[in-house]
Each structure stands twice: as C-alpha cells, then as structure tokens.
Amino acid sequence: FAALALTCTLPATAQIQKGNLMVGANLADMSLGLQKDNNNFSLSINPKMGYFIQDNIALGAEVKLGFETAKGYTDINYLVGAFGRYYFSDQETILLKHSRFFLEANAGISGENHKATGLPYSSTNGLGIGFGPGIAYFITENIGLEAMLKYNLLVGFGSATTVNRLSFGVGFQIYLPTKRARTLYNNVSDEIKEK
C-alpha cells in the first residue's frame, strides 16, 4: 500500500517532458451482440508510438484496424498515418490531481470497405484526418489511462467520396523516459561485457 501511495502521489508532469517516449493503444467499438438471429461483433484497435519533441507536445506514428461483422454484413476499416498531441498543463485545466487534458490530430492513408449480402460492395479509400479532445489519468508514474472523443473524416475515391464518423475510444499509454532507458541499457551492456 505504501508503494502504491507513493506512485499515485507523483505529479503528472514528468511523463510529458521533452525526450520521453509514449507507447500504447486506444480501443474503441468493442462489442459482441448476443441476439439469437443477429449476432454481431466489432473491434477496433489503434496502437501508436510518439516522441515528445518539447514539453507537452508529442509527435508520432499510428495504425488503426477496425473490424465489424454481423449476419450478412462485414466492414473493415484502417488507418496508417501520423499524429500530434498537445497536453494542457495550466492549473485551471486540471480536474483531477493526476490527469491532463490533451488535443490530438492525425492524418494518413485510410479506408472503409463494406460487404453486405444482396448489396454491391462499397468502399472509400484515401486521406483520413481526425481531431478531438481527450483526458489522460496517470495511475502510476509511467502509465496513463485515456478517454478520447474524436471526429474522423475520410476523403477519397470509391463508392463515396467522403465518410464522417464520431468515435469514442478508451485505452492506455506507457510513458518511457529515454534518459532512464538509456542508463538502464548502458548498465546492462556494461554487466554483459564484464562477464
């Protein structure tokens, strides 16, 4: 309990400093229908990795893959691109002691592909952009739980030229201080060389 108390009293500022890495994933639209005549399943996963170029500002790469299936219907969507994130550090914007609001924007190659029984195949592939607010709550010094509301726009070619979607995602991020990781790597390397 004492160790947990110590990790929970750390301020949520060291994680979002220049030079740190952010690795994690957002999960959204995870559901399983249990109706007798219309079972459906959907899952979307969005892993990402970012680097803090300045305090409170991270840039990185992300991949998103979504899948939904029901009786006579299948939908696959994807995104491969880059994202940027800005964390607010003003005391007025902090609701909880270990939390930070952030804004995130992304752009990349994206697509949505639908196949339904009795209907023609439809798809839209092209440029995907998205933006929205989120909140990160740091349960430990290096792990943050997140919730994010995001507007996504897909502009491309295919059956439709645009697709608009509003999504709510929850997930986690692990914040790795690169100085600490480099020190740990050097210590392990030195021990191996000595043996």
Side-chain angles (χ1 to χ4, degrees):
F1 287 116
L4 181 62
L6 285 174
T7 58
C8 290
T9 57
L10 296 169
T13 55
Q15 302 89 331
I16 54 178
Q17 290 178 346
K18 180 179 178 179
N20 287 354
L21 287 175
M22 177 180 78
V23 179
N26 289 340
L27 303 171
D29 303 327
M30 188 166 55
S31 65
L32 175 64
L34 299 174
Q35 294 84 4
K36 182 178 180 181
D37 55 349
N38 189 17
N39 293 332
N40 69 320
F41 174 77
S42 66
L43 173 67
S44 176
I45 187 164
N46 182 205
K48 55 182 71 175
M49 184 169 97
Y51 179 77
F52 284 88
I53 59 168
Q54 291 183 0
D55 289 358
N56 303 323
I57 299 175
L59 297 177
E62 67 176 330
V63 176
K64 180 179 181 182
L65 181 61
F67 176 77
E68 181 177 354
T69 183
K71 186 175 182 180
Y73 174 80
T74 302
D75 178 59
I76 296 174
N77 58 72
Y78 66 90
L79 168 74
V80 177
F83 75 93
R85 187 180 278 195
Y86 174 76
Y87 288 84
F88 293 96
S89 59
D90 299 333
Q91 292 300 319
E92 296 83 28
T93 62
I94 299 173
L95 287 179
L96 301 171
K97 187 174 182 182
H98 307 292
S99 67
R100 288 288 184 270
F101 281 107
F102 62 85
L103 289 176
E104 182 174 296
N106 67 284
I109 299 169
S110 184
E112 292 205 11
N113 303 285
H114 313 280
K115 184 176 182 182
T117 303
L119 295 174
Y121 176 80
S122 65
S123 68
T124 303
N125 296 283
L127 174 66
I129 58 173
F131 59 89
I135 186 168
Y137 181 77
F138 295 95
I139 57 173
T140 70
E141 181 182 4
N142 298 96
I143 299 174
L145 299 179
E146 296 182 351
M148 183 168 41
L149 182 65
K150 204 169 194 182
Y151 170 74
N152 297 290
L153 171 66
L154 172 57
V155 179
F157 53 90
S159 306
T161 55
T162 60
V163 175
N164 298 286
R165 188 179 300 267
L166 190 62
S167 64
F168 177 75
V170 293
F172 68 94
Q173 297 294 332
I174 300 172
Y175 298 82
L176 303 169
T178 54
K179 290 179 184 176
R180 188 183 305 171
R182 197 174 299 122
T183 302
L184 180 62
Y185 173 77
N186 290 336
N187 289 344
V188 170
S189 296
D190 291 342
E191 288 179 16
I192 291 172
K193 288 177 184 176
E194 289 176 4
K195 291 181 180 181

